[in-house]
Amino acid sequence: MKKHCVRVGAMLLTAAILSACATRPSAPIELNLVALNDFHGNLEASKFAYTGAGSDKETTIQAGGIDAIAAALQAFRREDKDLLFVGAGDLVGASPAVSSLWADEPSIAALSMLGMRFSSVGNHEFDLGRAELLRKQAGGCVSPVPAKACKFNPDFRGAAFRYLAANVIDSATGKPLLPAFAIEETKGVKIAWIGAVLKDADKLVLAAGIAGLSFTDEADAINKAVAEARAQGASVFVVLIHEGGRTEEAFDQPDCAKLQGPIVGIVRRLDPAVRLVVSGHSHTGYQCKVDQRDVTQAQMGGHVLTRIKLLIDPASRAVQSVAVRNVPVRQGEYPADPKAVSYLAEVKQRSEAALARPIARVALRHMGRKMNASGESPLGSMAADAVLAATAAQGAQIGFMNPAGLRKDLDVGDDLVARFNQVQATLPFANTLVMMDLSGAELKQLLEQQWQRPSFDPDRNMLQISHGLSYRWDPALPPGRRVVEGSLTLNGVAVDTSKTYRVTANNFLAEGGDGFAQFAAARNKTDTHIVDIDAFIAYLVKHDQDATPAGLAAPEGRFQRVGADAAATATAQPH
């Protein structure tokens, strides 16, 4: 009898233990992501200066480069073989010469080699129009830049990753040009990757290249995609969006709380199921909280990678928690990935001769985009002068340059010789110069539009003007009347409101880019087919030949802000 009782007791105890095990909650499912944005074809490492969280000391390192990114990813994948690598747009475009020389095909190939899975499009993916974007995705050699396409590899196969764009609509079909989202199952969890680009992208690219496309509200498009993805079984929703913001906090400040800019309003309108937003466009590193959602950005150029850990409830498959960490991509920090090292060496070797070609002697080692308090920069003035010089023989009287068209400062070596790669890094877009007619009244209205563009910061985007044109502006006056009456002159003579003036700008501005509608409405347009970089090179060469090497150490005061001596300077930030 006692033995029977013991046996029954043991059985009951075992059943209780098994029952407890059966009801004990399973461990969360861990998903690891790595994100970057605004790579801009930076295949090689470049300078990254930063002040980390909790520090008051600036650190400068050589960061990024596909060799270092590949090494980091290789190390991270040793921790989790299912790690997912994604992007938030502007992977190509406005690229250094080592990439743009080959139509950015090496960058597409490199990111594919690194195992990127998905990316939103950015505005720069549209630099050469929809046809070239679709070629970058699908491959092939039919391109608006035939001199560059398929020259690095005659069998360009396009991106192995998928571009996403929920809010880029083809008017012919009424549907997104590219997939709005993609669902991929990882560790038994269906993740919906949703892509979007800033709705103002059409103002940042050539209108001709995006004809028939509309860029709709970001949050509306994302929420529609969330609903569709949910209906297809997705339980985790990650937004990859090429729109961003800024914060005074460090790029690696945990849970930063001072994020400002367009991304904040977009995030606040998103479906509550969206817990993670990977952003881009503003070239600012942050890892912030907005309404309890995590919003990230990884600076630009591959300098930083955002490491993200999602813990997923094993029952509901919903996100339990998000952990984010921005990490600099230091050269040599991880064991090398031989394949990436070899590929970068090949690209550099094949590019070296073309890129190192000397152009002309210049006056200074450094010619910068940094604006003074009035909004004028030395490099901007030089570029506007080059625009005028290239078209003056055809009747041009004024040249304009948009700061966003100047991608980097012009820095040369101790020999003061500018080389092709240095110049190309400054002017990477290959825009052509367009001549057009504006009346004096329209010229003034054009200048007034600098303060009438709600999506832009005029302190960072003042039009740069050629020598001879001059005016003063007063920030205390209302928008539309800030050019001081009687101050607008050309070669010392007051601009006549009824007289016609022949002006030149790049084709991006000529189509109304950067919000300058007055350029779009100009008359008698003639595309000279002179490429902006060719005009700038000719300008440098001519000055060298005349024994007056080009270069301005400081702005010349072509336009002046009333009370500017008390104002802070600004630095041009290209889009």
Side-chain angles (χ1 to χ4, degrees), residues 47 362 364-368 379 408-413 417-419 421-423 426:
K47 184 173 71 174
V362 294
L364 304 164
R365 280 198 60 183
H366 174 79
M367 286 149 278
L379 187 58
K408 291 186 177 181
D409 296 345
L410 180 58
D411 289 310
V412 304
V417 174
R419 287 172 168 77
N421 60 332
Q422 297 159 341
V423 177
T426 296

Side-chain angles (χ1 to χ4, degrees), residues 142 212 428:
V142 179

Side-chain angles (χ1 to χ4, degrees), residues 45-53 55-64 249-252 283-285 298-300 302-304 328-330 573:
S46 56
K47 184 173 71 174
F48 175 42
Y50 67 92
T51 302
S55 173
D56 56 3
K57 181 180 178 182
E58 184 175 84
T59 299
T60 300
I61 61 173
Q62 285 295 109
E249 296 152 298
F251 79 102
D252 58 350
H283 293 194
T284 303
Q299 215 256 345
M300 61 81 61
H303 293 156
V304 171
V329 183
R330 291 182 172 85
Q573 296 287 345

Side-chain angles (χ1 to χ4, degrees), residues 263-311:
I263 192 63
V264 176
I266 294 169
V267 170
R268 285 177 173 159
R269 292 173 51 214
L270 295 182
D271 186 300
V274 176
R275 294 282 302 278
L276 173 63
V277 176
V278 178
S279 71
H281 188 57
S282 54
H283 293 194
T284 303
Y286 48 76
Q287 43 193 47
C288 290
K289 291 282 191 182
V290 176
D291 289 354
Q292 302 307 306
R293 308 175 203 252
D294 286 88
V295 185
T296 76
Q297 190 173 152
Q299 215 256 345
M300 61 81 61
H303 293 156
V304 171
L305 291 175
T306 303
R307 300 193 67 180
I308 304 165
K309 180 184 293 185
L310 302 179
L311 293 184

